[in-house]
Amino acid sequence: QKEVEQNSGPLSVPEGAIASLNCTYSDRGSQSFFWYRQYSGKSPELIMFIYSNGDKEDGRFTAQLNKASQYVSLLIRDSQPSDSATYLCAVTADKIIFGKGTRLHILP
Amino acid sequence: GAVVSQHPSWVICKSGTSVKIECRSLDFQATTMFWYRQFPKQSLMLMATSNEGSKATYEQGVEKDKFLINHASLTLSTLTVTSAHPEDSSFYICSARVDDNEKLFFGSGTQLSVL
């Protein structure tokens, strides 16, 4: 059974701080890794993707991938109240598999 | 990113009726679309993979005769919930993949409430 694991949270982070979201996956053959943001009652929105080991930065977001450890993370710098949402990790091997998501709450 | 349009956004229906949900890729052709269901505070659950011009592939435990999927063109897939019951009330979301690009783009979702 291929799995993607995330801490369900909620993860509470003060406004302006760095939020760190983590994800582990079981399939070593996984090729592509995605982070989606989902606001309550809305559908997921793609915010980051990463294919290679290392870091990938886009604005306030940084995705980090370590294939040897089967670990992918998302860092959000200068957290804003609007970042409060559920963040879904998704991993693709032969099919895309979603984690259950981490609820992030930014404290004003 | 690519745009996926989903209609209706919400629907309320009586038990026993059928409901059709449309998913369109607006600025790209999608040979494959995916249908998900999500209950409150739960994760996305893949229901089926919709393939243009062929039968959909359903995930284990999803009744293909209850959730009819049609993918008649490269830009449109439909999900019909037949003989809906209150336990079918959920948030249904479609998504599409651009060619071999593995990124999924989601429709806005349909909140179905069956009375």
Side-chain angles (χ1 to χ4, degrees):
Chain A
Q1 180 83 359
K2 298 174 183 177
E3 295 182 339
V4 176
E5 300 285 343
Q6 294 181 257
N7 188 317
S8 63
L11 174 65
S12 296
V13 174
E15 183 176 357
I18 296 175
S20 178
L21 304 164
N22 304 315
C23 172
T24 59
Y25 58 95
S26 62
D27 185 358
R28 284 195 172 274
S30 300
Q31 300 290 330
S32 308
F33 308 85
F34 307 90
W35 283 99
Y36 288 83
R37 177 177 62 198
Q38 186 176 23
Y39 293 113
S40 180
K42 303 295 184 181
S43 63
E45 172 192 12
L46 178 66
I47 56 171
M48 287 290 288
F49 59 92
I50 186 168
Y51 302 137
S52 304
N53 276 329
D55 295 0
K56 179 181 178 182
E57 185 175 318
D58 184 1
R60 294 187 298 113
F61 299 100
T62 299
Q64 298 176 317
L65 174 61
N66 184 325
K67 289 187 177 181
S69 300
Q70 296 176 238
Y71 176 93
V72 58
S73 65
L74 178 70
L75 301 177
I76 306 175
R77 289 180 299 282
D78 188 24
S79 297
Q80 303 296 310
S82 59
D83 296 326
S84 297
T86 295
Y87 289 80
L88 303 172
C89 172
V91 173
T92 300
D94 54 340
K95 60 191 290 187
I96 189 166
I97 301 173
F98 283 88
K100 294 185 177 181
T102 298
R103 286 181 292 138
L104 175 65
H105 181 51
I106 305 301
L107 304 170
Chain B
V3 179
V4 177
S5 174
Q6 184 174 345
H7 293 281
S9 296
W10 56 271
V11 59
I12 301 173
C13 69
K14 293 182 178 180
S15 184
T17 60
S18 294
V19 174
K20 179 185 283 189
I21 303 170
E22 292 189 349
C23 181
R24 294 179 185 273
S25 56
L26 296 186
D27 53 357
F28 66 100
Q29 294 182 328
T31 55
T32 304
M33 290 185 176
F34 305 88
W35 288 95
Y36 291 85
R37 180 167 56 182
Q38 188 175 38
F39 294 105
K41 299 189 184 299
Q42 299 294 314
S43 62
L44 292 172
M45 187 194 83
L46 178 64
M47 300 176 66
T49 301
S50 171
N51 302 295
E52 187 268 335
S54 64
K55 291 183 179 181
T57 303
Y58 290 82
E59 295 298 303
Q60 189 174 6
V62 178
E63 300 174 60
K64 62 180 182 180
D65 294 329
K66 181 170 183 63
F67 299 100
L68 300 178
I69 292 173
N70 183 281
H71 195 156
S73 77
L74 286 171
T75 59
L76 174 64
S77 175
T78 61
L79 168 67
T80 301
V81 183
T82 62
S83 187
H85 288 93
E87 58 265 31
D88 298 323
S89 298
S90 185
F91 191 49
Y92 292 86
I93 316 171
C94 72
S95 68
R97 189 167 59 194
V98 181
D99 297 325
D100 291 333
N101 187 322
E102 295 171 305
K103 301 172 202 170
L104 281 184
F105 294 93
F106 286 86
S108 55
T110 298
Q111 182 63 53
L112 171 64
S113 296
V114 184
L115 304 178

